[in-house]
Amino acid sequence: GQQVMQIPQYQHVQEGEDFTTYCNSSTTLSNIQWYKQRPGGHPVFLIQLVKSGEVKKQKRLTFQFGEAKKNSSLHITATQTTDVGTYFCAGRGNQGGKLIFGQGTELSVKP
Amino acid sequence: SAVISQKPSRDICQRGTSLTIQCQVDSQVTMMFWYRQQPGQSLTLIATANQGSEATYESGFVIDKFPISRPNLTFSTLTVSNMSPEDSSIYLCSVDPGGRGELFFGEGSRLTVL
C-alpha cells in the first residue's frame, strides 16, 4: 500500500538557523499537505500543493512539491521559538482515497 | 474553516471499560473522520463517519472495538470499547468543511488506560 516517509524524525536547531523536513511517497500523489502540531496541541493545516514542481511560500516557510509528485519539502528560514512543534506531511494517492500521514519531524529551537 | 469541539479532552480509564468521545462541529459537514495518534507517533485513520450510513473502517479497525455514531451533520461519537493499555492514545476528530481535502482537527481526547 501507499507509504509516506518523512525525515528527519527530530531536528534541533539554534534560533536563527534554517530547517528543512523531507517527505517521500512510494507512489505518485495527487496532492500533498503539510500540518503543524504544537506540543500538546492538535494538527493545524498549513498548505496543500497540487501541481508538479509547485512552490508556495508563507512568510518564512517554503513548500515544494517534486516534479514527479512523489516528494515534498518544507523549509523554514531563520527559525524562531514559535516554530517549535511537529511538522507532518500527508499525501493522497492518484486514485483519491484517504490521506496518508508521514511520521512527522519534531523541531526544537534553542533560543 | 471549522470550529470543532471534542469531549472529554482527557480521561484515565480502567482496563475493560469503554469510553465515548464526542465531536461537535459548528457547521454541517458530509464526512467526519476519526484518527488515532499513539504517543509520539503519526496520525492513523480509524474510520470515516457519514450521516445516515454505517461508518467505513480502515484496515486494522473494527466496529465492535470502535463503534461510531453519526446522528446528524454536525455531531459524531467514537466509542473505544473494552479498553486495554494499548488503546492509550490521542483520539482526534476531523472534518473537511470546504470539500478541498484540507482537514481541520478537534483538540483531541487524550486517553490513558491503566
PDB file of all heavy atoms in Angstrom, chain A residues 76-100:
ATOM      1  N   ILE A  76      12.084  26.112   6.548  1.00  0.00           N
ATOM      2  CA  ILE A  76      11.847  27.303   7.371  1.00  0.00           C
ATOM      3  C   ILE A  76      13.142  28.105   7.431  1.00  0.00           C
ATOM      4  O   ILE A  76      14.196  27.571   7.817  1.00  0.00           O
ATOM      5  CB  ILE A  76      11.385  26.948   8.792  1.00  0.00           C
ATOM      6  CG1 ILE A  76      10.103  26.104   8.741  1.00  0.00           C
ATOM      7  CG2 ILE A  76      11.139  28.220   9.597  1.00  0.00           C
ATOM      8  CD1 ILE A  76       9.589  25.663  10.099  1.00  0.00           C
ATOM      9  N   THR A  77      13.061  29.346   7.059  1.00  0.00           N
ATOM     10  CA  THR A  77      14.223  30.232   7.097  1.00  0.00           C
ATOM     11  C   THR A  77      14.278  30.944   8.445  1.00  0.00           C
ATOM     12  O   THR A  77      13.260  31.415   8.946  1.00  0.00           O
ATOM     13  CB  THR A  77      14.124  31.280   5.969  1.00  0.00           C
ATOM     14  OG1 THR A  77      13.996  30.601   4.716  1.00  0.00           O
ATOM     15  CG2 THR A  77      15.340  32.176   5.945  1.00  0.00           C
ATOM     16  N   ALA A  78      15.470  30.998   9.014  1.00  0.00           N
ATOM     17  CA  ALA A  78      15.677  31.742  10.264  1.00  0.00           C
ATOM     18  C   ALA A  78      14.643  31.369  11.317  1.00  0.00           C
ATOM     19  O   ALA A  78      13.768  32.172  11.674  1.00  0.00           O
ATOM     20  CB  ALA A  78      15.657  33.234   9.990  1.00  0.00           C
ATOM     21  N   THR A  79      14.753  30.162  11.824  1.00  0.00           N
ATOM     22  CA  THR A  79      13.760  29.654  12.767  1.00  0.00           C
ATOM     23  C   THR A  79      13.617  30.560  13.992  1.00  0.00           C
ATOM     24  O   THR A  79      14.564  31.235  14.418  1.00  0.00           O
ATOM     25  CB  THR A  79      14.132  28.252  13.249  1.00  0.00           C
ATOM     26  OG1 THR A  79      15.463  28.283  13.785  1.00  0.00           O
ATOM     27  CG2 THR A  79      14.037  27.233  12.139  1.00  0.00           C
ATOM     28  N   GLN A  80      12.408  30.523  14.528  1.00  0.00           N
ATOM     29  CA  GLN A  80      12.093  31.229  15.765  1.00  0.00           C
ATOM     30  C   GLN A  80      11.525  30.234  16.756  1.00  0.00           C
ATOM     31  O   GLN A  80      11.094  29.141  16.367  1.00  0.00           O
ATOM     32  CB  GLN A  80      11.080  32.343  15.489  1.00  0.00           C
ATOM     33  CG  GLN A  80      11.562  33.378  14.497  1.00  0.00           C
ATOM     34  CD  GLN A  80      10.504  34.404  14.131  1.00  0.00           C
ATOM     35  OE1 GLN A  80       9.373  34.361  14.607  1.00  0.00           O
ATOM     36  NE2 GLN A  80      10.875  35.354  13.276  1.00  0.00           N
ATOM     37  N   THR A  81      11.501  30.598  18.028  1.00  0.00           N
ATOM     38  CA  THR A  81      10.991  29.670  19.041  1.00  0.00           C
ATOM     39  C   THR A  81       9.523  29.330  18.803  1.00  0.00           C
ATOM     40  O   THR A  81       9.051  28.280  19.212  1.00  0.00           O
ATOM     41  CB  THR A  81      11.170  30.243  20.447  1.00  0.00           C
ATOM     42  OG1 THR A  81      10.569  31.527  20.517  1.00  0.00           O
ATOM     43  CG2 THR A  81      12.656  30.360  20.805  1.00  0.00           C
ATOM     44  N   THR A  82       8.814  30.190  18.123  1.00  0.00           N
ATOM     45  CA  THR A  82       7.406  29.919  17.813  1.00  0.00           C
ATOM     46  C   THR A  82       7.235  28.828  16.758  1.00  0.00           C
ATOM     47  O   THR A  82       6.122  28.347  16.524  1.00  0.00           O
ATOM     48  CB  THR A  82       6.693  31.184  17.323  1.00  0.00           C
ATOM     49  OG1 THR A  82       7.461  31.734  16.237  1.00  0.00           O
ATOM     50  CG2 THR A  82       6.568  32.207  18.431  1.00  0.00           C
ATOM     51  N   ASP A  83       8.341  28.433  16.101  1.00  0.00           N
ATOM     52  CA  ASP A  83       8.268  27.373  15.093  1.00  0.00           C
ATOM     53  C   ASP A  83       8.299  25.981  15.716  1.00  0.00           C
ATOM     54  O   ASP A  83       8.126  24.983  15.017  1.00  0.00           O
ATOM     55  CB  ASP A  83       9.432  27.495  14.108  1.00  0.00           C
ATOM     56  CG  ASP A  83       9.383  28.783  13.292  1.00  0.00           C
ATOM     57  OD1 ASP A  83       8.259  29.225  12.957  1.00  0.00           O
ATOM     58  OD2 ASP A  83      10.456  29.348  13.019  1.00  0.00           O
ATOM     59  N   VAL A  84       8.518  25.903  17.012  1.00  0.00           N
ATOM     60  CA  VAL A  84       8.614  24.611  17.706  1.00  0.00           C
ATOM     61  C   VAL A  84       7.338  23.799  17.493  1.00  0.00           C
ATOM     62  O   VAL A  84       6.227  24.315  17.579  1.00  0.00           O
ATOM     63  CB  VAL A  84       8.872  24.832  19.199  1.00  0.00           C
ATOM     64  CG1 VAL A  84       8.590  23.565  19.996  1.00  0.00           C
ATOM     65  CG2 VAL A  84      10.292  25.307  19.433  1.00  0.00           C
ATOM     66  N   GLY A  85       7.522  22.510  17.231  1.00  0.00           N
ATOM     67  CA  GLY A  85       6.379  21.621  17.042  1.00  0.00           C
ATOM     68  C   GLY A  85       6.764  20.472  16.134  1.00  0.00           C
ATOM     69  O   GLY A  85       7.929  20.335  15.752  1.00  0.00           O
ATOM     70  N   THR A  86       5.777  19.672  15.807  1.00  0.00           N
ATOM     71  CA  THR A  86       5.983  18.560  14.878  1.00  0.00           C
ATOM     72  C   THR A  86       5.296  18.884  13.563  1.00  0.00           C
ATOM     73  O   THR A  86       4.124  19.269  13.549  1.00  0.00           O
ATOM     74  CB  THR A  86       5.429  17.250  15.454  1.00  0.00           C
ATOM     75  OG1 THR A  86       6.095  16.960  16.690  1.00  0.00           O
ATOM     76  CG2 THR A  86       5.664  16.094  14.494  1.00  0.00           C
ATOM     77  N   TYR A  87       6.035  18.734  12.482  1.00  0.00           N
ATOM     78  CA  TYR A  87       5.529  19.029  11.144  1.00  0.00           C
ATOM     79  C   TYR A  87       5.254  17.706  10.431  1.00  0.00           C
ATOM     80  O   TYR A  87       6.132  16.853  10.312  1.00  0.00           O
ATOM     81  CB  TYR A  87       6.543  19.869  10.369  1.00  0.00           C
ATOM     82  CG  TYR A  87       6.689  21.256  10.945  1.00  0.00           C
ATOM     83  CD1 TYR A  87       7.553  21.489  12.017  1.00  0.00           C
ATOM     84  CD2 TYR A  87       5.950  22.323  10.452  1.00  0.00           C
ATOM     85  CE1 TYR A  87       7.677  22.755  12.571  1.00  0.00           C
ATOM     86  CE2 TYR A  87       6.072  23.597  10.997  1.00  0.00           C
ATOM     87  CZ  TYR A  87       6.932  23.799  12.057  1.00  0.00           C
ATOM     88  OH  TYR A  87       7.047  25.054  12.607  1.00  0.00           O
ATOM     89  N   PHE A  88       4.024  17.552   9.980  1.00  0.00           N
ATOM     90  CA  PHE A  88       3.601  16.349   9.277  1.00  0.00           C
ATOM     91  C   PHE A  88       3.302  16.671   7.822  1.00  0.00           C
ATOM     92  O   PHE A  88       2.620  17.657   7.531  1.00  0.00           O
ATOM     93  CB  PHE A  88       2.309  15.770   9.885  1.00  0.00           C
ATOM     94  CG  PHE A  88       2.453  15.207  11.258  1.00  0.00           C
ATOM     95  CD1 PHE A  88       2.134  15.958  12.379  1.00  0.00           C
ATOM     96  CD2 PHE A  88       2.894  13.903  11.437  1.00  0.00           C
ATOM     97  CE1 PHE A  88       2.245  15.429  13.641  1.00  0.00           C
ATOM     98  CE2 PHE A  88       3.010  13.372  12.706  1.00  0.00           C
ATOM     99  CZ  PHE A  88       2.692  14.138  13.817  1.00  0.00           C
ATOM    100  N   CYS A  89       3.792  15.814   6.922  1.00  0.00           N
ATOM    101  CA  CYS A  89       3.279  15.851   5.561  1.00  0.00           C
ATOM    102  C   CYS A  89       2.193  14.785   5.465  1.00  0.00           C
ATOM    103  O   CYS A  89       2.159  13.833   6.253  1.00  0.00           O
ATOM    104  CB  CYS A  89       4.375  15.589   4.542  1.00  0.00           C
ATOM    105  SG  CYS A  89       5.135  13.962   4.643  1.00  0.00           S
ATOM    106  N   ALA A  90       1.307  14.958   4.504  1.00  0.00           N
ATOM    107  CA  ALA A  90       0.224  13.993   4.301  1.00  0.00           C
ATOM    108  C   ALA A  90      -0.105  13.969   2.817  1.00  0.00           C
ATOM    109  O   ALA A  90      -0.362  15.027   2.229  1.00  0.00           O
ATOM    110  CB  ALA A  90      -1.003  14.372   5.129  1.00  0.00           C
ATOM    111  N   GLY A  91      -0.081  12.780   2.242  1.00  0.00           N
ATOM    112  CA  GLY A  91      -0.306  12.673   0.816  1.00  0.00           C
ATOM    113  C   GLY A  91      -1.529  11.851   0.481  1.00  0.00           C
ATOM    114  O   GLY A  91      -1.925  10.952   1.227  1.00  0.00           O
ATOM    115  N   ARG A  92      -2.095  12.197  -0.663  1.00  0.00           N
ATOM    116  CA  ARG A  92      -3.249  11.452  -1.168  1.00  0.00           C
ATOM    117  C   ARG A  92      -2.874  10.871  -2.529  1.00  0.00           C
ATOM    118  O   ARG A  92      -2.317  11.560  -3.380  1.00  0.00           O
ATOM    119  CB  ARG A  92      -4.460  12.370  -1.298  1.00  0.00           C
ATOM    120  CG  ARG A  92      -5.795  11.652  -1.344  1.00  0.00           C
ATOM    121  CD  ARG A  92      -6.942  12.633  -1.520  1.00  0.00           C
ATOM    122  NE  ARG A  92      -7.030  13.637  -0.480  1.00  0.00           N
ATOM    123  CZ  ARG A  92      -7.635  13.465   0.681  1.00  0.00           C
ATOM    124  NH1 ARG A  92      -8.208  12.321   0.960  1.00  0.00           N
ATOM    125  NH2 ARG A  92      -7.674  14.450   1.573  1.00  0.00           N
ATOM    126  N   GLY A  93      -3.173   9.608  -2.722  1.00  0.00           N
ATOM    127  CA  GLY A  93      -2.789   8.934  -3.953  1.00  0.00           C
ATOM    128  C   GLY A  93      -3.540   9.432  -5.172  1.00  0.00           C
ATOM    129  O   GLY A  93      -4.543  10.148  -5.061  1.00  0.00           O
ATOM    130  N   ASN A  94      -3.054   9.017  -6.331  1.00  0.00           N
ATOM    131  CA  ASN A  94      -3.672   9.443  -7.588  1.00  0.00           C
ATOM    132  C   ASN A  94      -5.103   8.965  -7.743  1.00  0.00           C
ATOM    133  O   ASN A  94      -5.897   9.552  -8.462  1.00  0.00           O
ATOM    134  CB  ASN A  94      -2.843   8.938  -8.768  1.00  0.00           C
ATOM    135  CG  ASN A  94      -1.945  10.028  -9.312  1.00  0.00           C
ATOM    136  OD1 ASN A  94      -2.139  11.204  -9.032  1.00  0.00           O
ATOM    137  ND2 ASN A  94      -0.947   9.644 -10.072  1.00  0.00           N
ATOM    138  N   GLN A  95      -5.420   7.850  -7.108  1.00  0.00           N
ATOM    139  CA  GLN A  95      -6.767   7.299  -7.196  1.00  0.00           C
ATOM    140  C   GLN A  95      -7.678   7.876  -6.116  1.00  0.00           C
ATOM    141  O   GLN A  95      -8.769   7.349  -5.888  1.00  0.00           O
ATOM    142  CB  GLN A  95      -6.708   5.764  -7.055  1.00  0.00           C
ATOM    143  CG  GLN A  95      -5.737   5.079  -8.009  1.00  0.00           C
ATOM    144  CD  GLN A  95      -6.036   5.423  -9.452  1.00  0.00           C
ATOM    145  OE1 GLN A  95      -7.175   5.462  -9.873  1.00  0.00           O
ATOM    146  NE2 GLN A  95      -4.995   5.685 -10.234  1.00  0.00           N
ATOM    147  N   GLY A  96      -7.249   8.928  -5.492  1.00  0.00           N
ATOM    148  CA  GLY A  96      -8.031   9.507  -4.402  1.00  0.00           C
ATOM    149  C   GLY A  96      -7.787   8.708  -3.148  1.00  0.00           C
ATOM    150  O   GLY A  96      -6.687   8.246  -2.901  1.00  0.00           O
ATOM    151  N   GLY A  97      -8.800   8.492  -2.362  1.00  0.00           N
ATOM    152  CA  GLY A  97      -8.626   7.693  -1.169  1.00  0.00           C
ATOM    153  C   GLY A  97      -8.204   8.522   0.020  1.00  0.00           C
ATOM    154  O   GLY A  97      -8.212   9.749  -0.004  1.00  0.00           O
ATOM    155  N   LYS A  98      -7.802   7.824   1.044  1.00  0.00           N
ATOM    156  CA  LYS A  98      -7.537   8.503   2.305  1.00  0.00           C
ATOM    157  C   LYS A  98      -6.190   9.200   2.273  1.00  0.00           C
ATOM    158  O   LYS A  98      -5.300   8.900   1.467  1.00  0.00           O
ATOM    159  CB  LYS A  98      -7.569   7.511   3.466  1.00  0.00           C
ATOM    160  CG  LYS A  98      -6.453   6.480   3.443  1.00  0.00           C
ATOM    161  CD  LYS A  98      -6.535   5.557   4.650  1.00  0.00           C
ATOM    162  CE  LYS A  98      -5.405   4.543   4.631  1.00  0.00           C
ATOM    163  NZ  LYS A  98      -5.445   3.646   5.813  1.00  0.00           N
ATOM    164  N   LEU A  99      -6.055  10.138   3.181  1.00  0.00           N
ATOM    165  CA  LEU A  99      -4.823  10.882   3.360  1.00  0.00           C
ATOM    166  C   LEU A  99      -3.864  10.037   4.201  1.00  0.00           C
ATOM    167  O   LEU A  99      -4.250   9.516   5.254  1.00  0.00           O
ATOM    168  CB  LEU A  99      -5.161  12.188   4.095  1.00  0.00           C
ATOM    169  CG  LEU A  99      -4.291  13.412   3.930  1.00  0.00           C
ATOM    170  CD1 LEU A  99      -4.152  13.797   2.467  1.00  0.00           C
ATOM    171  CD2 LEU A  99      -4.897  14.557   4.724  1.00  0.00           C
ATOM    172  N   ILE A 100      -2.637   9.886   3.737  1.00  0.00           N
ATOM    173  CA  ILE A 100      -1.640   9.124   4.479  1.00  0.00           C
ATOM    174  C   ILE A 100      -0.647  10.104   5.090  1.00  0.00           C
ATOM    175  O   ILE A 100      -0.012  10.882   4.365  1.00  0.00           O
ATOM    176  CB  ILE A 100      -0.881   8.138   3.570  1.00  0.00           C
ATOM    177  CG1 ILE A 100      -1.853   7.213   2.847  1.00  0.00           C
ATOM    178  CG2 ILE A 100       0.143   7.346   4.390  1.00  0.00           C
ATOM    179  CD1 ILE A 100      -2.603   6.268   3.748  1.00  0.00           C
TER     180      ILE A 100
END
